[in-house]
Amino acid sequence: MAYVVTEKCIMCKHADCVEVCPVDCFYEGENMLVINPDECIDCGVCVPECPIDAIEAESEDNLKWLEVNREYSTKWPSITQNKPAMDEAEKYRDVPNKFAELFSENPGEGN
Ligand code: SF4
Ligand code: SF4
């Protein structure tokens, strides 16, 4: 079991979640963060930190996000410190289907 970041994070990246993770298993893309599900210890402390409820426990209903998190956590740099959300975060907060229309495969800066 693991926790996964869902598409709500895309274009928002509030990053409040990363500082509380005891095993530093968040990774940063250009416009989304992901969790490495093999490193996540299933503690759940990141969940209430996300202001837009973008983090969910792995389940039958979000296998797509499990695969996205697994794939890109091996391609993107680690992020362990909070940073300001993206400039467009409020505008994109409740936009649906962000993965299909907005997701970037490019890595973020990490820190
Ligand atoms: S706090 Fe939420 S929106 Fe911000 S990076 Fe973490 S998962 Fe994404
Ligand atoms: S559930 Fe715990 S170990 Fe997993 S990403 Fe969140 S804070 Fe890190």
Side-chain angles (χ1 to χ4, degrees), residues 3 21-23 25-26 35 40-41 43-46:
Y3 282 77
C21 180
V23 294
C25 64
F26 281 88
I35 290 167
C40 175
I41 59 171
C43 70
V45 300
C46 57

Side-chain angles (χ1 to χ4, degrees), residues 4-18 26-27 31-35 46-56 79 82-83 85 89 98:
V4 296
V5 183
T6 68
E7 68 180 336
K8 288 182 184 176
C9 185
I10 295 171
M11 298 301 288
C12 291
K13 281 211 299 191
H14 289 279
D16 300 282
C17 52
V18 302
F26 281 88
Y27 295 83
N31 64 15
M32 178 183 181
L33 301 195
V34 291
I35 290 167
C46 57
V47 174
E49 298 300 320
C50 180
I52 57 172
D53 298 328
I55 304 174
E56 298 177 358
I79 176 170
N82 201 348
K83 60 164 70 171
K98 287 197 236 180

Side-chain angles (χ1 to χ4, degrees), residues 4-110:
V4 296
V5 183
T6 68
E7 68 180 336
K8 288 182 184 176
C9 185
I10 295 171
M11 298 301 288
C12 291
K13 281 211 299 191
H14 289 279
D16 300 282
C17 52
V18 302
E19 286 200 330
V20 300
C21 180
V23 294
D24 295 341
C25 64
F26 281 88
Y27 295 83
E28 184 182 14
E30 183 177 26
N31 64 15
M32 178 183 181
L33 301 195
V34 291
I35 290 167
N36 183 318
D38 298 321
E39 297 173 349
C40 175
I41 59 171
D42 204 20
C43 70
V45 300
C46 57
V47 174
E49 298 300 320
C50 180
I52 57 172
D53 298 328
I55 304 174
E56 298 177 358
E58 167 194 345
S59 76
E60 289 288 311
D61 298 329
N62 61 25
L63 288 177
K64 173 177 179 177
W65 306 124
L66 179 64
E67 290 313 310
V68 168
N69 279 246
R70 176 169 280 127
E71 177 177 354
Y72 289 97
S73 63
T74 64
K75 295 178 175 175
W76 292 346
S78 170
I79 176 170
T80 60
Q81 293 166 15
N82 201 348
K83 60 164 70 171
M86 295 181 74
D87 293 340
E88 310 93 330
E90 278 309 307
K91 176 180 165 191
Y92 285 99
R93 187 181 182 114
D94 298 316
V95 171
N97 300 318
K98 287 197 236 180
F99 188 77
E101 294 169 19
L102 298 165
F103 176 72
S104 167
E105 294 188 334
N106 296 329
E109 295 175 353

